[in-house]
Amino acid sequence: MKRRLLAVIISCMMLATTACGGTSSADSAATLEGATNSFMAKDAVGFEETAAESYDMDTNTTTDAGGEEVDLSEYDTSRKLVYNSNIRLETKKFDDDFARVKALVTENGGYLENNSTYGNAEYGSRSASMIARIPADKYQAFMSSVGDVGSVTSKSESVDDITSSYVDVQARLKSLNTKLARLQELEANAENVTELLEIEDRINDVQYQIESYTAQKKAYDDQIDYSTVSIDISEVATYSEVKADTAWNRFADAFAGSFAGFITFLQNLVIAIIYLLPYLIIIGIVIFIIVKVRKKKGKGPLFRRKKKEISKEKND
């Protein structure tokens, strides 16, 4: 607020001395340009030069955009790994195993980021889908424990190494903080309003970038500290049998699948007939009535057949 008030006072003084206004503006621009050039020259670790183009874990150095090596000994360069996994389970005791998985998440210091259930207990076809966040140091223990719940039908794991990106964010934050400190020094020594306002704009831009990279670093920390585990649970009457991938087993599975498909077709056919039965009964009644009416009027097929026989006898 004081700086803004100072700016207003200086502006009034500049308006009062209009005769010297043109010269003062030129001098101000030259002063600001000189200060900016001086600042950029002193900023050896510029924002654009801090991108970790290549990071060497052995030498603990990175190569900046200018091709020069930058010592990263002051940064956290430990390996940063992000674990993600997906596990599918079958269960005959849905309620118990579902509760057991949630208990395992809590016991290992994790939490459920997402949790959904589907289906109806009456038909025994319920399923659940969860996304659990587990502390990295408890990840292996949790995966071993959850594998004992029900029957595991599939399991996949992936590990992403984000060390280079993490070091890059640290380098950018250090550079931006250094730049912010120097801009604040220039702001304190600003000699006119134009210079002050331009420096403040640059400070706002740098502060915005610092906030952005700080948020990105927090997101990295969250991914590193807590592994993500997707868990799908399905309620079944019998567990899926895991067999060796042999020709005989494939033939047996194909025959079993074909027979099961035929049984399913018959079931669907019977169900379809049951659904259509009221309509078939109505259609049958209508046809029966039509036949009876035509028969009474002498237009039925039996009457026409008898008529033909009588005509044939007469002709003979």
Side-chain angles (χ1 to χ4, degrees), residues 85-104:
S85 64
N86 187 293
I87 185 168
R88 294 179 180 276
L89 306 171
E90 289 183 345
T91 176
K92 296 178 182 179
K93 299 178 292 183
F94 182 83
D95 293 324
D96 294 340
D97 288 344
F98 180 64
R100 178 57 182 155
V101 171
K102 293 201 297 184
L104 285 172

Side-chain angles (χ1 to χ4, degrees), residues 156-277:
S156 63
E157 298 180 71
S158 65
V159 183
D160 295 328
D161 188 342
I162 62 170
T163 306
S164 179
S165 299
Y166 193 86
V167 172
D168 177 66
V169 169
Q170 292 180 89
R172 289 178 182 271
L173 280 172
K174 181 190 174 184
S175 174
L176 287 167
N177 282 310
T178 301
K179 184 173 290 188
L180 178 62
R182 292 179 180 176
L183 281 170
Q184 289 172 339
E185 290 178 7
L186 289 175
E187 181 187 31
N189 298 323
E191 298 179 356
N192 54 65
V193 178
T194 303
E195 183 178 339
L196 180 65
L197 294 178
E198 185 166 346
I199 292 174
E200 284 185 348
D201 287 339
R202 296 192 180 189
I203 287 176
N204 291 335
D205 182 60
V206 171
Q207 287 176 332
Y208 172 78
Q209 293 180 61
I210 289 175
E211 291 174 0
S212 177
Y213 280 105
T214 299
Q216 185 174 344
K217 183 176 178 295
K218 287 182 179 179
Y220 282 154
D221 287 333
D222 179 65
Q223 294 175 11
I224 295 165
D225 295 339
Y226 283 84
S227 302
T228 302
V229 183
S230 298
I231 308 166
D232 296 310
I233 305 176
S234 300
E235 185 178 23
V236 296
T238 57
Y239 291 135
S240 299
E241 185 178 358
V242 179
K243 301 178 181 179
D245 188 18
T246 62
W248 172 255
N249 286 335
R250 288 200 295 269
F251 292 151
D253 290 341
F255 177 78
S258 176
F259 185 75
F262 177 71
I263 296 299
T264 301
F265 168 76
L266 291 179
Q267 290 175 346
N268 292 334
L269 179 61
V270 172
I271 292 173
I273 292 174
I274 293 173
Y275 273 113
L276 294 173
L277 190 58

Side-chain angles (χ1 to χ4, degrees), residues 13-33:
M13 293 176 65
M14 290 177 66
L15 290 174
T17 56
T18 53
C20 300
T23 303
S24 297
S25 298
D27 292 343
S28 297
T31 301
L32 178 59
E33 183 178 0

